[in-house]
Amino acid sequence: MGALSRPGSLLVRTISDIRDDGPVSILVIVSLGWFLTLGVRIVYPALLPQVTAEFGVSNATTGAFIGILWTTYALLQFPGGAIADIVGERLVLTGSILLSAGAVSVIVLSTTVEMFVLATVLLGLGTGLFGTTRLTVISALFDRMRTTAISANQAAGNVGNVVLSASAGFVSVYLGWRWGFGFLLPVLFACAIGLWIALPRRASPATGDESFRQTMRKVAASVRRPSVLAVTALLSLIACCTTSRLTQTYRTAVTSSRIS
């Protein structure tokens, strides 16, 4: 019995340590945002077979949809952090969720392929703003338990991958693919309100009088370190494996829909 209670007591102690180290309410709302940000990007390919069937487009076109989503997401990683340095994390994270909600709204209302492509671009831009800045917020507000807080936040995103894609698939079976996206809207708007209320305007220290060029020199010097290069290579490999898995899942879904 004592052995069984140890994991539970460890969890309770960890939660207590996190509470003592930083604002749990901010960790929860930022984790909800990451839950939604990652989850909605997995909902997208999960519902694409139904979308393409309605619009009557080819597999190549649907592949381009996924490429647009992930490309725009990737392109916003660095600008998202740079913008947060200028205007503060609260505006960036709240704006990210609101832009994602707007993109989902356009997806739900899409009547043409052109509208759907526009929504795809907006969704990539919206979700791309969130990834970098969430980490700066947690790093700034937590000290001793920083790694644990970041791990909890990252886990929330992985849970979102599973829960939201499964929920969207279930909803779409009975109500159609538009509702598979649309059921996310109330949660997205609630999260945006929560972020605006909970977050300070700026969580991390401002860069002061340091110029953009000086900042970039520091960034370039940091990313050349062997440890950073190793982590970058590892994350790139994980991203490639994840993309490959999503592509295979999409192909399986398309094949199944055609058979049925």
Side-chain angles (χ1 to χ4, degrees):
M1 187 71 178
L4 291 176
S5 65
R6 276 196 289 270
S9 62
L10 177 62
L11 177 61
V12 171
R13 187 166 64 251
T14 300
I15 294 174
S16 177
D17 289 342
I18 291 176
R19 187 185 302 116
D20 293 338
D21 190 49
V24 175
S25 59
I26 290 181
L27 177 60
V28 169
I29 194 64
V30 173
S31 296
L32 175 61
W34 191 233
F35 172 92
L36 294 168
T37 297
L38 280 191
V40 73
R41 287 189 291 127
I42 304 302
V43 165
Y44 187 94
L47 298 182
L48 267 183
Q50 297 181 50
V51 176
T52 55
E54 177 171 326
F55 290 132
V57 295
S58 65
N59 287 340
T61 303
T62 50
F65 289 160
I66 297 177
I68 290 170
L69 175 64
W70 287 89
T71 299
T72 51
Y73 170 81
L75 290 175
L76 261 289
Q77 296 294 298
F78 172 74
I83 294 170
D85 281 338
I86 298 171
V87 303
E89 294 91 346
R90 180 175 66 179
L91 188 59
V92 170
L93 291 182
T94 305
S96 168
I97 297 299
L98 286 176
L99 187 56
S100 298
V104 171
S105 300
V106 177
I107 287 175
V108 171
L109 298 173
S110 292
T111 56
T112 64
V113 174
E114 290 76 14
M115 282 185 67
F116 193 81
V117 170
L118 173 62
T120 300
V121 173
L122 291 176
L123 186 61
L125 295 176
T127 55
L129 286 171
F130 202 93
T132 302
T133 307
R134 69 183 172 96
L135 294 176
T136 63
V137 168
I138 296 173
S139 296
L141 297 178
F142 289 85
D143 183 20
R144 184 171 56 87
M145 299 297 292
R146 180 182 302 154
T147 302
T148 303
I150 291 174
S151 299
N153 176 262
Q154 189 67 27
N158 294 331
V159 172
N161 284 342
V162 177
V163 172
L164 293 187
S165 59
S167 301
F170 179 80
V171 171
S172 67
V173 168
Y174 295 97
L175 300 176
W177 65 266
R178 297 178 191 279
W179 281 102
F181 283 106
F183 87 100
L184 295 169
L185 285 173
V187 190
L188 285 166
F189 284 119
C191 180
I193 294 172
L195 286 167
W196 186 260
I197 293 173
L199 288 176
R201 178 183 176 274
R202 185 181 296 277
S204 56
T207 56
D209 296 330
E210 187 176 86
S211 68
F212 182 77
R213 180 176 297 180
Q214 290 173 318
T215 301
M216 289 308 300
R217 285 175 180 169
K218 290 183 179 179
V219 171
S222 298
V223 299
R224 287 199 298 265
R225 291 185 298 175
S227 58
V228 176
L229 292 174
V231 171
T232 301
L234 179 61
L235 290 175
S236 298
L237 180 61
I238 292 173
C240 289
C241 292
T242 302
T243 303
S244 177
R245 179 171 57 85
L246 287 174
T247 302
Q248 184 60 43
T249 302
Y250 167 71
R251 288 175 178 171
T252 303
V254 171
T255 303
S256 300
S257 65
R258 286 178 176 174
I259 293 175
S260 60

